Amino acid sequence: MSLDLAGKPGSLPSAQARPIPQAAALTAAYVTLALLLAVPLLVAEVPLSMDSLNHFARVHVRANIAHDPDLARLFEVRDGLVPYMGLDWLLTPLARVLPTLVAGRVGIVLILWGTVGAAMVLRRTFSGRVGYEPLLVGLVAYNALLAAGFLNYLVGVVGALLGLAAWHAARTRAVPVRVLAGMGVATGLFLTHLLSLALYGLMLGAYEAFGRPRAWRTPVRDWLVLA
């Protein structure tokens, strides 16, 4: 029956109807993963990672010191070009409009979603499609680094993955343009967490040594990038 319909004038071939349900299934899979990643932080009043409360206390001071005389008497905020500021940048604006622990929970959810999202962007940049493979990143989104409270580094990991995707996407641009853009990403990662800067440098070094750009088209290299 499908062959007869495909042969009639004005009818749509069955192959053209397939992308719609596939796209819907893909969207449903990622929405489901996003909800599952958010559930633990939606039901817990305090995020259970060892160093997170120290981060949230610092964010609370930064967000409220201007209108809290008690905090102003005890603390002084000194801004400068120093590392380990990623979480401060992410959460301080939120903590000005939300309770600090709520802002912290939102921030951790954003880190979890950002990790999977960065893998999706990386997959799309290298292979031309998203696919289901980045869903596997959801299996390791809750990890030992998150449990230890290394939140600045995890923010930097998201930035480093996006930086690698941008480096590959700009592979046909002039070298000075790519270098300047890479330096901008590196500066942002330095201010986020020093180890995320080291990770970015490692990935760019591996890309330039082994992945330029034809080799990335092979399935094995594509999976290695995803890993």
Side-chain angles (χ1 to χ4, degrees):
M1 182 181 295
S2 61
L3 291 177
D4 294 338
L5 289 174
K8 291 181 179 180
S11 64
L12 291 175
S14 59
Q16 293 183 5
R18 290 175 186 169
I20 295 177
Q22 289 177 354
L26 191 67
T27 301
Y30 280 102
V31 170
T32 301
L33 176 63
L35 293 175
L36 289 175
L37 290 177
V39 164
L41 288 163
L42 293 177
V43 300
E45 293 186 5
V46 179
L48 299 178
S49 57
M50 288 187 289
D51 200 36
S52 62
L53 293 182
N54 290 327
H55 288 297
F56 300 157
R58 187 178 65 253
V59 167
H60 180 78
V61 171
R62 294 178 63 89
N64 296 284
I65 193 171
H67 53 79
D68 189 325
D70 293 327
L71 290 178
R73 228 176 12 251
L74 296 172
F75 300 99
E76 178 184 357
V77 176
R78 295 181 180 178
D79 289 314
L81 297 181
V82 295
Y84 315 118
M85 297 294 293
L87 202 68
D88 290 18
W89 293 340
L90 179 66
L91 293 189
T92 300
L94 287 175
R96 292 193 175 110
V97 296
L98 295 172
T100 302
L101 286 180
V102 174
R105 291 156 65 187
V106 170
I108 294 179
V109 170
L110 291 176
I111 290 172
L112 297 172
W113 288 353
T115 304
V116 177
M120 294 169 64
V121 171
L122 200 61
R123 171 77 171 169
R124 178 70 174 80
T125 303
F126 279 108
S127 67
R129 62 187 184 87
V130 174
Y132 290 96
E133 292 83 357
L135 289 168
L136 297 174
V137 178
L139 298 176
V140 295
Y142 279 97
N143 51 60
L145 293 173
L146 183 67
F150 295 153
L151 302 182
N152 282 320
Y153 175 67
L154 293 175
V155 173
V157 167
V158 175
L161 293 174
L162 294 177
L164 176 62
W167 184 264
H168 177 72
R171 63 191 179 279
T172 58
R173 298 293 184 91
V175 172
V177 174
R178 296 180 72 212
V179 170
L180 287 175
M183 289 173 62
V185 174
T187 301
L189 293 175
F190 167 78
L191 297 173
T192 302
H193 196 284
L194 281 177
L195 287 181
S196 66
L197 173 61
L199 175 65
Y200 180 61
L202 177 66
M203 290 193 298
L204 289 195
Y207 176 91
E208 293 297 325
F210 305 112
R212 290 278 303 169
R214 181 180 59 186
W216 290 115
R217 297 174 184 172
T218 64
V220 173
R221 292 295 180 90
D222 190 38
W223 272 93
L224 287 176
V225 169
L226 179 61

XYZ file of all heavy atoms in Angstrom, residues 84 153 189 193-200:
97
model
N 38.524 30.948 39.697
C 37.500 30.369 40.580
C 36.322 31.316 40.808
O 35.769 31.388 41.898
C 38.112 29.954 41.925
C 39.425 29.225 41.769
C 40.595 29.738 42.294
C 39.488 28.028 41.055
C 41.804 29.073 42.126
C 40.690 27.372 40.875
C 41.846 27.895 41.410
O 43.045 27.250 41.227
N 34.810 24.235 38.725
C 35.431 23.430 37.676
C 34.382 22.882 36.718
O 34.589 22.857 35.498
C 36.238 22.290 38.279
C 36.808 21.348 37.237
C 37.784 21.787 36.349
C 36.348 20.047 37.133
C 38.300 20.940 35.384
C 36.855 19.189 36.174
C 37.833 19.642 35.303
O 38.329 18.798 34.343
N 37.885 30.929 30.829
C 38.098 29.697 31.589
C 39.101 29.909 32.712
O 38.977 29.307 33.786
C 38.586 28.589 30.646
C 37.554 28.117 29.622
C 38.179 27.101 28.669
C 36.335 27.523 30.305
N 37.989 28.586 36.368
C 38.744 27.590 37.145
C 39.996 27.232 36.352
O 39.931 26.961 35.151
C 37.911 26.342 37.402
C 38.452 25.463 38.496
N 39.540 24.644 38.312
C 38.060 25.284 39.785
C 39.794 23.996 39.432
N 38.916 24.373 40.348
N 41.139 27.214 37.023
C 42.401 26.969 36.336
C 42.428 25.608 35.642
O 42.966 25.465 34.540
C 43.569 27.073 37.323
C 44.028 28.482 37.688
C 45.132 28.412 38.735
C 44.526 29.216 36.450
N 41.857 24.591 36.272
C 41.891 23.266 35.664
C 41.023 23.184 34.410
O 41.304 22.396 33.506
C 41.466 22.203 36.678
C 42.472 21.873 37.767
C 41.930 20.783 38.684
C 43.804 21.428 37.176
N 39.970 23.994 34.345
C 39.180 24.011 33.115
C 39.974 24.638 31.975
O 39.830 24.234 30.813
C 37.865 24.757 33.334
O 38.077 26.137 33.594
N 40.838 25.593 32.287
C 41.737 26.143 31.277
C 42.710 25.073 30.792
O 42.969 24.947 29.587
C 42.493 27.341 31.840
C 43.591 27.931 30.945
C 43.015 28.433 29.633
C 44.323 29.065 31.682
N 43.240 24.274 31.726
C 44.138 23.186 31.338
C 43.413 22.163 30.465
O 43.974 21.655 29.488
C 44.707 22.520 32.589
N 42.155 21.866 30.802
C 41.363 20.934 29.997
C 41.161 21.476 28.589
O 41.298 20.734 27.603
C 40.012 20.693 30.668
C 39.001 19.839 29.899
C 39.504 18.415 29.748
C 37.644 19.852 30.603
N 40.853 22.738 28.470
C 40.661 23.374 27.162
C 41.949 23.286 26.333
O 41.915 22.935 25.144
C 40.246 24.823 27.371
C 40.008 25.610 26.103
C 39.020 25.236 25.200
C 40.760 26.750 25.833
C 38.789 25.984 24.050
C 40.532 27.500 24.691
C 39.549 27.112 23.800
O 39.325 27.853 22.660
